[in-house]
Amino acid sequence: MTSPGSKKVVPADGSEKNHSGNLGRTGDLNESGSSSGGGEGGTFEYFGQVYHLGSNKIGHEYCHLRYLFIRGKYVEMYKRDPHENPDIKPIRRGVIGPTMMVEELGRRKVSHGDVYVIRFSNRLDERKKGEIACATAGEAMKWVEAFDEAKQQAEYALSRGGSTRTKLSMEANIDLEGHRPRVRRYAYGLKKLIRIGQGPETLLRQSSTLVNDVRGDSFYGGGDNGDAIEAHEWKCVRTINGVRIFEDVANFKAGRGFLVKAVAVVEASADAVFEVISKLDKHQRYEWDTVTGDSELIDSYEGHYDVIYCVYPKYLSRIFFRWQSKRDFIFSRQWVRGQDGTYTILQFPAVHKKRPPKSGYRRTDITPSTWEIRNLKKRSDAEPPSCLVTHMLEIHSKRWCKWKRTSYSKFEKTIPYALLLQVAGLKEYIGANPAFKYEASSTVVQSKLSDIPSGEYVEEEMEEQFYDATDSSSDEEESDEDDEEQDKKEIKVKLKNVSWAIASLSLKQPKAPGASNELDTSVDPVDIDPSQIQGSLRKGNGDKDSNCWNSPSGMGFMIRGKTYLKDNAKVMGGQPLLTLVSVDWLKVDKAVDNIALHPKCLVQSEPGKKLPFILVINLQVPAKPNYCLVMYYAADRPVSESSSLGKFVNGSDSYRDSRFKLIPSIVQGYWMVKRAVGTKACLLGKAVTCKYLRKDNFLEIDVDIGSSAVARSVIGLVLGYVTSLIVDLAILIEGKEETELPEYILGTVRLNRIELDSAVSFEE
């Protein structure tokens, strides 16, 4: 067994190479020298235990423990571990085609416990879909990444050519509808595998309740907190039981109350800490949580949003509420897991019809707060995992000032103080339980199976399907006895200062440093005059203007530098390569694709046809009604085909999905919205569904934000405060190879306090 976090790559020539890296860090893997993850024919192999979810013909839902294998573009499902049972045959087998979509649906209660569900679907046929489940959110995300790499393997194999029969069988993807076919032969060649998870000891059995054994997954957290520069000025005011208490000095100067946070290093992975915080088991919470120990789940939505009812403990009621002994409250809890493995949990006061105020209790509102759980980078593989836990809230009590200066005792009898100390309780609880330090890393194991080259996979078998979500008789036959046997075993002043600083620095920066070869310099540039091109959303005259857009410098964003692959160093972005010429803010009945083909679109106008290249970004915002934010970026020269931008513009959809990156930043607005959106870069093609249209002198990217439950919940929160927000967005192409670094900013946009009612109706 190799060191935790290592990855085995099996090239096509049969030789083996060890690549040490983190399976959980999106976009940081550079295996086999391929831009798509398998460019030299390298084969990734994964295996682990999952739950197969579905229902039979009569509607009976089942949840079966299965062994899942991914070898290159092949997927196999077994009833038992083939390493321990060499003669066992797979019950399902098939290939992963480029049209398969994988989405993480969040947490769901199954058989009296919680699991994290992954949905499979076919973008060409919505009827073909099914689900598997994992024990932790970290394992679920690793499986999503594993399937993504398998898709890239399939895309690469398809691009290299081959027989028509092979191409058709690859495009025939996983059939999620029909019965599981009979397997004609055993799949050999599973030699070196990456194991996801630690096995059945932590998975929920169909006949049992959720076990209390908590483990984490291995991630290498980034050393930075975000990819955008934030206007915060944190000052440590007190240290209590190893927990640092900070105050945002800049926020206080703006007269917005006291934004404070408790920060501690916890000796466990972010996944393990998240599981502890999210569980509502009172016996466990009594050991570390003095506020929400007596909690009850009222309702859950889309796997990432819970509504919880809580009763204050009697001793807290006597301390905090002397005039009344009994109090209760309801709060909503929304959680998001970033592509870098960082968890963000938002907690708001809420109301719910299932829990109206009851006699003898006084209903109160809990202070809004956020949790952030971020993995810390390990110095060596032998070092145990650790993460940085931050609990942030806003305090409007005058007692805070007295407490931080003179240990004013009355503040210690407030609910905000008890919320801050939740971090101390969490740290001590995990420190007292060594099981939490056990790291469920992905490991490489030696298989007992026969050493058969990968080339011996038979083409006829590629047409066989391995997965079936609606199987009836076949799953019933395979499950009962074996499963039973297995079961037994913002500040305006600060904003202005930052803007001035960035503006002054931008004067010294060349346009898009590192992007000198992206455009064809042999062609004379054309003059781009944005004043001659008008969109439905007007261009603003500064940060004080409202319902408008601007194009800020890229100096407010941190991007990968020339030496990023060696030292993870990031540098400040420069001027964007492309010029933002227009923005449309449209109101639509449903999401609209291919806006660039509309006769009234900028691309189809005479000025648009004269531009050498236009990048159209169509952000499809789910709401009632739906909205489309369309941004048009123009180049003054044609795109060089051999450049990174040229490869992106003319590349395959899977290549674009793996490179199209967006960095968000809430420059000014409610602090809870800032925490929800964050400042980390996001590969949009992996987070939501993106569609691409390449024609003439333009490339349009349609970003369906509603395709992800997490994205829908975050955008719903943003729309509630959009009229008070200043939002910066930067788009770029992620650099994964040394020749693609340093990165550069493709384009930016600043949206100033957008009004929903100002959206223009879109004419089909």
Side-chain angles (χ1 to χ4, degrees), residues 600-674:
K600 293 185 179 180
C601 179
L602 161 66
V603 178
Q604 303 300 327
S605 65
E606 288 302 322
K609 293 179 180 179
K610 296 179 181 179
L611 295 173
F613 175 73
I614 303 175
L615 177 62
V616 183
I617 307 295
N618 176 19
L619 299 181
Q620 299 169 349
V621 182
K624 294 182 179 180
N626 295 312
Y627 299 94
C628 286
L629 180 67
V630 190
M631 297 166 287
Y632 304 89
Y633 296 91
D636 57 0
R637 287 187 171 99
V639 176
S640 176
E641 294 186 0
S642 60
S643 64
S644 297
L645 179 57
K647 295 177 181 178
F648 177 81
V649 170
N650 300 311
S652 64
D653 288 355
S654 62
Y655 177 82
R656 293 163 176 160
D657 284 343
S658 66
R659 299 304 179 100
F660 181 43
K661 187 159 69 174
L662 179 142
I663 305 176
S665 175
I666 305 295
V667 180
Q668 187 179 101
Y670 184 37
W671 70 273
M672 288 283 283
V673 180
K674 289 185 178 182

Side-chain angles (χ1 to χ4, degrees), residues 19 26 94 126 149 156 164 177 261 265 289 298 370 397 444 475 551 563 598 604 635 639 730:
H19 292 256
T26 301
E126 296 181 355
E149 287 189 358
Y156 175 73
T164 305
E177 283 249 297
K261 65 180 181 180
V265 175
D289 188 359
I298 302 175
T370 66
S397 172
V444 180
D475 239 14
S551 182
T563 60
H598 193 276
Q604 303 300 327
V639 176

Side-chain angles (χ1 to χ4, degrees), residues 46-63:
Y46 299 86
F47 83 100
Q49 291 176 300
V50 299
Y51 272 94
H52 179 202
L53 307 180
S55 60
N56 57 22
K57 289 183 178 180
I58 63 175
H60 174 70
E61 295 183 353
Y62 56 78
C63 177

Side-chain angles (χ1 to χ4, degrees), residues 260-545:
V260 300
K261 65 180 181 180
V263 182
V265 175
V266 178
E267 298 297 328
S269 69
D271 292 320
V273 175
F274 170 75
E275 293 297 328
V276 174
I277 296 176
S278 62
K279 284 182 181 178
L280 299 180
D281 177 57
K282 63 172 59 179
H283 300 291
Q284 186 182 79
R285 297 194 78 91
Y286 279 169
E287 296 191 44
W288 67 272
D289 188 359
T290 61
V291 181
T292 60
D294 288 300
S295 299
E296 176 188 353
L297 180 65
I298 302 175
D299 214 340
S300 182
Y301 306 96
E302 296 186 331
H304 293 83
Y305 190 96
D306 300 329
V307 181
I308 299 170
Y309 171 77
C310 186
V311 177
Y312 282 116
K314 292 182 179 179
Y315 63 91
L316 280 181
S317 297
R318 288 195 298 267
I319 294 174
F320 299 150
F321 313 114
R322 296 180 180 177
W323 61 91
Q324 190 168 354
S325 60
K326 295 183 179 180
R327 288 204 174 195
D328 59 2
F329 61 90
I330 297 176
F331 68 96
S332 63
R333 183 176 65 182
Q334 178 182 342
W335 66 274
V336 178
R337 187 183 189 275
Q339 292 178 338
D340 64 339
T342 298
Y343 290 92
T344 301
I345 306 174
L346 311 177
Q347 297 180 164
F348 289 96
V351 294
H352 200 280
K353 61 182 180 180
K354 291 184 180 180
R355 285 293 184 276
K358 60 181 180 179
S359 177
Y361 287 82
R362 181 172 178 179
R363 182 63 51 86
T364 61
D365 289 337
I366 193 171
T367 305
S369 62
T370 66
W371 290 87
E372 183 181 275
I373 313 162
R374 179 170 57 88
N375 283 291
L376 297 177
K377 187 175 182 179
K378 299 194 296 184
R379 297 183 180 89
S380 65
D381 292 336
E383 184 179 355
S386 61
C387 63
L388 191 69
V389 178
T390 302
H391 195 191
M392 186 182 301
L393 61 151
E394 190 172 14
I395 298 176
H396 296 279
S397 172
K398 295 181 180 179
R399 298 173 180 174
W400 165 258
C401 293
K402 295 182 180 180
W403 176 79
K404 68 178 182 180
R405 291 196 304 264
T406 62
S407 298
Y408 187 59
S409 60
K410 288 187 177 181
F411 176 73
E412 297 178 0
K413 298 179 180 180
T414 63
I415 292 298
Y417 180 78
L419 289 173
L420 290 174
L421 289 191
Q422 281 182 312
V423 178
L426 182 68
K427 177 182 173 70
E428 293 300 318
Y429 171 69
I430 291 180
N433 290 271
F436 290 104
K437 299 182 181 180
Y438 180 69
E439 183 176 7
S441 61
S442 297
T443 55
V444 180
V445 301
Q446 179 72 36
S447 174
K448 300 178 183 177
L449 304 183
S450 302
D451 184 10
I452 302 296
S454 60
E456 295 193 11
Y457 279 88
V458 183
E459 286 189 2
E460 286 80 4
E461 293 186 7
M462 293 177 63
E463 298 180 4
E464 295 182 351
Q465 313 302 327
F466 91 103
Y467 185 82
D468 177 8
T470 58
D471 195 356
S472 57
S473 58
S474 57
D475 239 14
E476 290 179 303
E477 293 171 359
E478 77 185 43
S479 61
D480 296 339
E481 295 181 0
D482 297 320
D483 284 344
E484 290 177 2
E485 180 180 351
Q486 188 72 20
D487 287 344
K488 294 177 182 177
K489 276 185 154 173
E490 355 265 48
I491 305 118
K492 296 181 181 179
V493 176
K494 196 70 177 180
L495 171 64
K496 186 179 297 185
N497 292 338
V498 171
S499 300
W500 287 347
I502 291 176
S504 61
L505 287 172
S506 65
L507 296 177
K508 306 175 184 179
Q509 291 286 331
K511 186 170 184 178
S516 56
N517 298 322
E518 298 300 302
L519 302 180
D520 190 352
T521 56
S522 64
V523 179
D524 294 333
V526 300
D527 293 331
I528 300 177
D529 187 4
S531 62
Q532 297 181 357
I533 306 173
Q534 299 294 330
S536 62
L537 190 66
R538 65 183 180 85
K539 186 175 182 180
N541 297 318
D543 292 335
K544 293 183 178 180
D545 206 351

